[in-house]
Amino acid sequence: DAKTTQPPSMDCAEGRAANLPCNHSTISGNEYVYWYRQIHSQGPQYIIHGLKNNETNEMASLIITEDRKSSTLILPHATLRDTAVYYCIARSYFGNEKLTFGTGTRLTIIP
Amino acid sequence: GAVVSQHPSRVICKSGTSVKIECRSLDFQATTMFWYRQFPKQSLMLMATSNEGSKATYEQGVEKDKFLINHASLTLSTLTVTSAHPEDSSFYICSARGDRSSYEQFFGPGTRLTVL
């Protein structure tokens, strides 16, 4: 699986959009970009995933650059409950099925 | 999404005892289950992968005789920490994947183990 790089921490004001970047410059053609988050002392929660098109669901939007070397997770209206560690993972849809977690970004929503 | 439960949510035990943690997929059949360990302020580290009815595959550095994994049914996997020591104190998280979940992994809420 391709390695991903994320900033260790970010702050965002409550009610504003939180934009979390992720670099995955070595991603291969069959690797998807997955985002999970982990609220303190809980198991990870799936947010969204995508291959090359932008994706949106009820939780977030995922913007993937045309060259697929980076992506941005957008939480459109951040709330205090969005404070968590966010993990960006590049994983092959086939073959190796393990999710390997990096260090993630600790997002703190400021009241 | 699919629901995965873990039991117990937290356990405190004495050094030298064994502790069993259960992981259940509540509304789907999990052909593959994964066990992770997470130390404070660190990321999740995969310990082992288990497929129903077969032996678990352990990651490098994880002692298979210390962390016994059983995946006897499509809805239940257990992790037994044998002869636990204080350094085994950690947050243990399971996740499950089923054939109809398109390779998505659903995570349990975790079990906090404290060994005195």
Side-chain angles (χ1 to χ4, degrees):
Chain A
D1 294 340
K3 178 179 170 56
T4 62
T5 306
Q6 299 176 253
S9 64
M10 291 180 62
D11 292 340
C12 178
E14 187 180 16
R16 304 294 294 269
N19 297 280
L20 291 93
C22 179
N23 282 313
H24 31 79
S25 58
T26 61
I27 196 169
S28 62
N30 67 348
E31 286 182 318
Y32 283 67
V33 179
Y34 281 78
W35 283 84
Y36 283 78
R37 73 180 182 184
Q38 186 180 24
I39 295 170
H40 182 63
S41 293
Q42 296 183 24
Q45 176 188 23
Y46 165 81
I47 301 173
I48 199 167
H49 76 281
L51 183 62
K52 54 183 179 181
N53 296 323
N54 298 337
E55 302 288 344
T56 296
N57 62 20
E58 64 278 5
M59 289 184 68
S61 294
L62 174 60
I63 308 298
I64 303 174
T65 58
E66 195 169 335
D67 63 6
R68 300 208 329 119
K69 292 185 177 182
S70 66
S71 60
T72 301
L73 178 75
I74 302 172
L75 308 178
H77 304 287
T79 70
L80 298 179
R81 287 178 294 181
D82 292 321
T83 292
V85 178
Y86 287 76
Y87 297 98
C88 167
I89 302 169
R91 190 190 71 165
S92 175
Y93 193 77
F94 302 101
N96 185 348
E97 302 164 354
K98 298 181 289 188
L99 276 177
T100 303
F101 287 80
T103 53
T105 295
R106 183 172 298 277
L107 175 67
T108 302
I109 306 302
I110 310 296
Chain B
V3 179
V4 176
S5 71
Q6 281 185 242
H7 177 80
S9 57
R10 60 175 62 231
V11 56
I12 301 172
C13 70
K14 293 182 179 180
S15 186
T17 61
S18 294
V19 175
K20 180 184 284 188
I21 302 169
E22 293 186 349
C23 175
R24 294 182 184 273
S25 56
L26 298 185
D27 52 0
F28 69 103
Q29 293 186 323
T31 53
T32 306
M33 286 188 170
F34 305 85
W35 287 94
Y36 293 81
R37 181 169 54 181
Q38 185 175 33
F39 293 108
K41 298 191 183 301
Q42 295 187 22
S43 187
L44 287 80
M45 296 299 296
L46 180 65
M47 299 175 68
T49 302
S50 72
N51 291 294
E52 185 265 338
S54 61
K55 290 184 177 180
T57 302
Y58 290 80
E59 296 298 302
Q60 191 172 9
V62 178
E63 301 175 58
K64 63 177 70 176
D65 294 330
K66 181 165 184 63
F67 299 99
L68 301 178
I69 292 171
N70 185 285
H71 190 169
S73 78
L74 286 172
T75 60
L76 174 65
S77 176
T78 60
L79 167 68
T80 301
V81 183
T82 62
S83 187
H85 291 286
E87 58 265 30
D88 298 322
S89 298
S90 188
F91 192 50
Y92 291 87
I93 306 168
C94 74
S95 73
R97 184 184 68 81
D99 286 338
R100 72 175 178 87
S101 59
S102 302
Y103 296 97
E104 302 310 326
Q105 279 184 229
F106 300 97
F107 287 81
T111 296
R112 175 78 57 192
L113 170 63
T114 302
V115 184
L116 302 177

